[in-house]
Amino acid sequence: MKTVRCHDFPLSPDIIQLNHASYGLASHEVLEAAERLRVHIESDPTRYLGAELTENLRTQAGLAATALDLDGDRTTLCSNATSGAAAIIASLPLGPGDTVVVLDTEYSSIHRAWEIACARSGARCLTVPVPLPFIDFESLSVTLDGSVPDSVTYLQASLISSSTAIRLPIADLSAWARLRGGRLILDAAHGPGHVELEPTDGIVAAAFGTLHKWLPAARSVGFLWLAPQLIDIVRPAEVSLTWDSSDLIERFSWPGTFDPVPRLCLGVALRQWQRWHTTGRLAGCEKLADYASEVLTGPRARPTAGQRYLPPRMRSFILDGVTVAEVKAALLESGIRAWVGPGSNEECLLRISTHIYNENADIDLLAEKLQEVLPR
């Protein structure tokens, strides 16, 4: 199989990892720091999980906000993107006269959370299909206008869609929502460490995301960003001891007894990520993703988006004439780890992500295996 050629991660040499986008991967450097910190906490948990924890979390939240170019007073850490989304969706006031629009490229659990919230409140939840391949906003705008006849309260969209790996035009989507009297809620799970975030006043009402996907952080840690008018409204989904706090950091600092180490090691992960960025290693990953688009695209493997809407290190393809089960079996047998699953119309999607442990040979082997399984 493979030979070890990247010492930053504890990956097995027997696999080709092209599924970084699903779970991320903590580096050796972060894992070692995390283990030292866990031993430190266990030496006096009353102290380190008590009086000192909130301020230590505040420090790490500040580091993350600075790295992501977010306002620190409106940014807090949480367990993951799902917990951040749950806090927002459960807190926003909805009623029978409200409409929530969710793109069908949204992550399934986020979509389901909005459905549940709307069912409880009597609000309307509309799912709008995103045309694939995604070529321009104008086509989506026509679909939105045809699917949503009147005003909206919130539009749920992703900075980068998960399964389809589309870098959506957030400013255009926000403008469409504002014209209908609504605001955009941003899923930025695939943003931090990958692309610049876009939660600025007037564009996004709230944003949530994951920090352990594209940063070499320990699992799991996420973030939450709120527009000023939502800071006092959004509360954690779990009612814990700090739920009533007026301080955003403190409010999310104690979701019951939990492992704070992934949050407390963010500074280590951010410094390592910055070194990769400065030395050009991440730019190399972007070139590899472009190479993947070139090599994998064919009559039976179509990119889900035009060049303008491709994320730097994620690519997704519509595979024609083959089932999800067939592709999964072929890749599993070959030791290739990639995401394969159904699209919203039950088409077979293949998504890959490139990282510093990948090389051209990984993409070449994937292309070879796809040629074997795709009909000629």
Side-chain angles (χ1 to χ4, degrees), residues 39-52:
V39 171
H40 175 68
I41 288 173
E42 294 306 316
S43 72
D44 190 354
T46 301
R47 175 182 176 183
Y48 300 126
L49 293 180
E52 296 187 10

Side-chain angles (χ1 to χ4, degrees), residues 214-254:
W214 295 95
L215 297 170
R219 283 182 292 270
S220 63
V221 57
F223 80 95
L224 186 65
W225 178 94
L226 301 170
Q229 62 269 30
L230 293 182
I231 288 178
D232 293 330
I233 294 175
V234 174
R235 303 276 159 171
E238 63 279 285
V239 180
S240 65
L241 294 174
T242 58
W243 191 90
D244 289 303
S245 176
S246 60
D247 182 285
L248 187 62
I249 299 292
E250 184 178 50
R251 191 183 309 162
F252 283 83
S253 68
W254 189 253

Side-chain angles (χ1 to χ4, degrees), residues 255-322:
T257 302
F258 78 117
D259 179 11
V261 167
R263 304 186 196 189
L264 296 174
C265 287
L266 270 177
V268 179
L270 287 165
R271 287 191 293 272
Q272 187 172 35
W273 177 88
Q274 186 59 53
R275 291 199 302 271
W276 293 340
H277 176 71
T278 302
T279 57
R281 298 181 74 182
L282 296 178
C285 302
E286 297 178 15
K287 293 180 180 178
L288 187 57
D290 289 337
Y291 176 73
S293 289
E294 176 185 341
V295 170
L296 298 178
T297 299
R300 298 284 185 173
R302 298 174 290 133
T304 54
Q307 184 67 35
R308 179 182 177 185
Y309 301 104
L310 295 177
R313 291 183 273 143
M314 276 175 74
R315 301 296 155 88
S316 188
F317 301 86
I318 305 165
L319 304 183
D320 297 320
V322 69

Side-chain angles (χ1 to χ4, degrees), residues 151-216:
S151 64
V152 304
T153 310
Y154 296 108
L155 169 64
Q156 173 69 62
S158 289
L159 185 61
I160 298 174
S161 61
S162 181
S163 303
T164 51
I166 303 169
R167 188 172 184 177
L168 290 163
I170 297 306
D172 290 332
L173 286 166
S174 176
W176 180 89
R178 291 199 309 275
L179 283 174
R180 299 300 188 94
R183 298 294 303 278
L184 180 70
I185 307 297
L186 183 67
D187 181 345
H190 290 286
H194 189 192
V195 298
E196 291 184 5
L197 306 186
E198 300 188 42
T200 56
D201 291 338
I203 293 181
V204 176
F208 57 89
T210 304
L211 298 171
H212 62 256
K213 285 186 183 288
W214 295 95
L215 297 170

